[in-house]
Amino acid sequence: MYDRKVWEATPDHTLFHKLDVRTKLMLLGCFAIVSLLIDSSRSLFILFCLTLVMHGLAHSSLGRWRILVLFTLLGIWGSMASQALFYSQEPRSIVACLIAPTVPIIGKLTGGVFVYREGLEYGAVQALRSGIMLSLGLLLTWTSDPRKLLRSFMAWKMPYELAFMLITSIRFLPVIFQETSVVLTAQRLRGFKPFRTISPRHLIQTAFQTLFPILARTLRRAATLASSVESRGFGRGFHRIDMENWPKVEQLFSYGFILVIVSMGVLKIMDVLQFNGLIYIPAWRVLYDLMKVWM
C-alpha cells in the first residue's frame, strides 16, 4: 500500500490501457450518472461487480486489489454504520438497541441509540454507488498516463488551472502514502508502538504523533511544487494541446453510452410522474414493471 508504484499508472497491453483517455473519462461519467439514476440494490450490485470484472481485465496487481478492497470495505462500513444509526425517515424498524433511553445521562440526552433496518439498506445502496465510482476512478488512474489526462481536460476546454490542480492531486496521492511510510518507519526505529494499548487517549495521541509529521512533509512538498510552477510561468501564456485523434469506434461507443443514459433519465422521469399520479401511459405497463424491479 505504501509502495509508490502501486498508485501510479503502469503501461500494459490490456484493452483498458489501449483505450483513449477520453473514452475512459466518458465511461466514468456515464457510470456515475447511472449509479445515481438507479435505486435498485440488485442493479447497483451488478454494476459494481462489472467494475470489478474491468479490474480483472486490466490485470490489476495484488497490491491494487488490496487497496480497492480496503477502500471499498471502509466505504461500506462507514455508510451503513452512519445510516443505520442516524436514519430519520419513516417507517423504520429497530433491529438492535445500543443505548437504551433509560441509561442515565447519555440515554436521556440522546433518547436512545438504535440500529434501524431501513438505515442499513439505505446505507448499502449509498455504499454501492460510492463503490462503483471509486472502483472506476482507480481503474482510470491506474491505466491512464496523467499527461494524457491533462491534455484531454484541456482539449475539452477545462480551465488550465483547474485541470492542473486535478492532475496534481492524482500525482500527489502516491506521494502522501510514501511520506506516511517514511514517517512510520522513522517512528518505529525510535521504538514507536502505535497499538501498544487500545485506550482512546493513547490512540488519539498516536494519531497526532503520526499525522503532524505527514502533514508537515506534505505541506513542504506542496510549497516546493508551487514555487516550481510559479517560476515556470504557471497560468500565463498560450498552452499548446497536442492530442491524438479520438478513434471513431470509441467515439461512437461513447455517444451510444450517452444516448443510453439520456434514455434512462427519461424513463426515470416518466416513472416518477406515474408514481405521483401525474402521467400514466397504459401501453408502458410492462416497462413500468421492469423499472420498478431494476431501477
Side-chain angles (χ1 to χ4, degrees):
M1 183 172 180
Y2 299 120
D3 187 0
R4 183 170 179 169
K5 294 180 180 177
V6 175
W7 294 93
E8 294 180 339
T10 51
D12 206 334
H13 300 289
T14 67
L15 173 65
F16 287 94
H17 287 82
K18 293 178 180 176
L19 282 176
D20 192 279
V21 174
R22 287 161 288 192
T23 307
K24 286 185 274 190
L25 284 171
M26 294 290 286
L27 188 66
L28 174 63
C30 290
F31 262 77
I33 296 173
V34 167
S35 65
L36 293 176
L37 288 175
I38 293 176
D39 295 323
S40 167
S41 57
R42 182 187 308 171
S43 301
L44 288 172
F45 181 72
I46 292 173
L47 280 178
F48 177 67
C49 292
L50 183 60
T51 64
L52 298 183
V53 172
M54 292 180 188
H55 275 276
L57 295 175
H59 297 170
S60 294
S61 63
L62 183 59
R64 290 177 173 175
W65 276 105
R66 285 176 183 163
I67 290 170
L68 177 60
V69 170
L70 176 63
F71 284 169
T72 303
L73 289 179
L74 284 176
I76 292 173
W77 175 80
S79 178
M80 292 186 69
S82 60
Q83 293 297 332
L85 295 177
F86 302 109
Y87 187 76
S88 59
Q89 303 296 319
E90 296 289 347
R92 53 183 182 178
S93 309
I94 297 174
V95 294
C97 176
L98 301 181
I99 299 177
T102 55
V103 173
I105 303 176
I106 299 179
K108 292 182 179 178
L109 285 175
T110 60
V113 178
F114 305 98
V115 176
Y116 298 101
R117 177 184 302 164
E118 289 77 7
L120 286 170
E121 294 171 355
Y122 183 72
V125 170
Q126 300 302 323
L128 284 172
R129 284 177 173 149
S130 61
I132 290 168
M133 288 183 264
L134 169 70
S135 177
L136 278 181
L138 289 175
L139 181 65
L140 173 69
T141 307
W142 289 337
T143 59
S144 305
D145 188 342
R147 291 169 296 184
K148 291 184 178 178
L149 274 175
L150 178 61
R151 287 198 288 268
S152 298
F153 289 142
M154 293 188 64
W156 285 347
K157 307 301 180 185
M158 179 182 283
Y160 175 71
E161 291 79 4
L162 185 60
F164 179 82
M165 285 191 291
L166 185 60
I167 298 303
T168 302
S169 64
I170 294 175
R171 297 295 294 267
F172 247 69
L173 198 59
V175 174
I176 292 174
F177 281 94
Q178 192 179 26
E179 295 291 352
T180 305
S181 175
V182 172
V183 169
L184 290 177
T185 303
Q187 289 183 338
R188 284 196 192 100
L189 292 175
R190 297 174 60 187
F192 179 67
K193 295 180 179 177
F195 301 109
R196 183 176 51 195
T197 65
I198 57 172
S199 69
R201 181 174 175 274
H202 178 72
L203 290 176
I204 293 173
Q205 184 181 7
T206 299
F208 277 108
Q209 290 175 345
T210 306
L211 290 177
F212 276 125
I214 296 171
L215 182 62
R217 290 173 66 90
T218 305
L219 288 176
R220 187 167 59 186
R221 279 183 176 268
T224 304
L225 175 66
S227 301
S228 176
V229 296
E230 279 292 328
S231 65
R232 289 170 170 78
F234 173 72
R236 302 181 183 89
F238 175 75
H239 305 290
R240 181 182 175 185
I241 305 172
D242 187 16
M243 281 294 297
E244 299 174 354
N245 291 329
W246 193 0
K248 291 291 182 185
V249 176
E250 296 185 25
Q251 283 190 45
L252 291 175
F253 172 77
S254 301
Y255 295 148
F257 221 136
I258 292 174
L259 186 61
V260 172
I261 299 299
V262 172
S263 303
M264 289 182 66
V266 172
L267 290 176
K268 186 72 177 180
I269 292 172
M270 294 302 294
D271 186 46
V272 172
L273 291 176
Q274 72 85 22
F275 181 79
N276 290 286
L278 298 175
I279 297 177
Y280 178 74
I281 303 175
W284 286 25
R285 185 172 179 180
V286 177
L287 201 56
Y288 289 138
D289 292 339
L290 287 175
M291 284 189 286
K292 185 177 181 180
V293 174
W294 294 103
M295 291 186 71

